[in-house]
Amino acid sequence: MTMKSDSSLQKENELFFENRKVCEWLNTKEAAEFLCISEGALRTLVYRGQISFYKFGRRLRFRAVDIHALFKTKGA
């Protein structure tokens, strides 16, 4: 198994986000994948009030721009 460089991973993340620009909302799975955390860890962030979220019925949704901003602060 080969390790990817930081720049390679960053390009993949940017590409992922570029593909998601047309879709303003992410579900829990998509947001967790983008942040490279588990869905459970994302739900913990929601419970602690550390991430912006919206509820549509019983479903959690996250704005792509909020997730992208959180990803930037996570890496800093």
Side-chain angles (χ1 to χ4, degrees), residues 11-71:
K11 286 179 185 177
E12 283 183 18
N13 287 334
E14 289 172 1
L15 185 63
F16 175 82
F17 187 70
E18 290 296 321
N19 290 337
R20 300 300 303 175
K21 276 190 177 179
V22 294
C23 182
E24 183 179 348
W25 299 98
L26 302 175
N27 63 28
T28 303
K29 182 178 180 182
E30 293 169 330
E33 285 177 2
F34 183 77
L35 292 170
C36 300
I37 60 175
S38 69
E39 291 179 47
L42 181 59
R43 288 188 187 98
T44 300
L45 292 174
V46 167
Y47 176 76
R48 292 178 180 169
Q50 296 174 324
I51 189 168
S52 298
F53 71 97
Y54 302 85
K55 287 190 88 169
F56 293 106
R58 296 179 65 191
R59 310 246 183 230
L60 292 177
R61 293 293 182 257
F62 304 88
R63 287 184 46 204
V65 292
D66 294 340
I67 297 298
H68 192 257
L70 183 66
F71 183 73

Side-chain angles (χ1 to χ4, degrees), residues 4-13:
K4 295 182 180 183
S5 68
D6 286 341
S7 62
S8 175
L9 289 173
Q10 184 177 8
K11 286 179 185 177
E12 283 183 18
N13 287 334

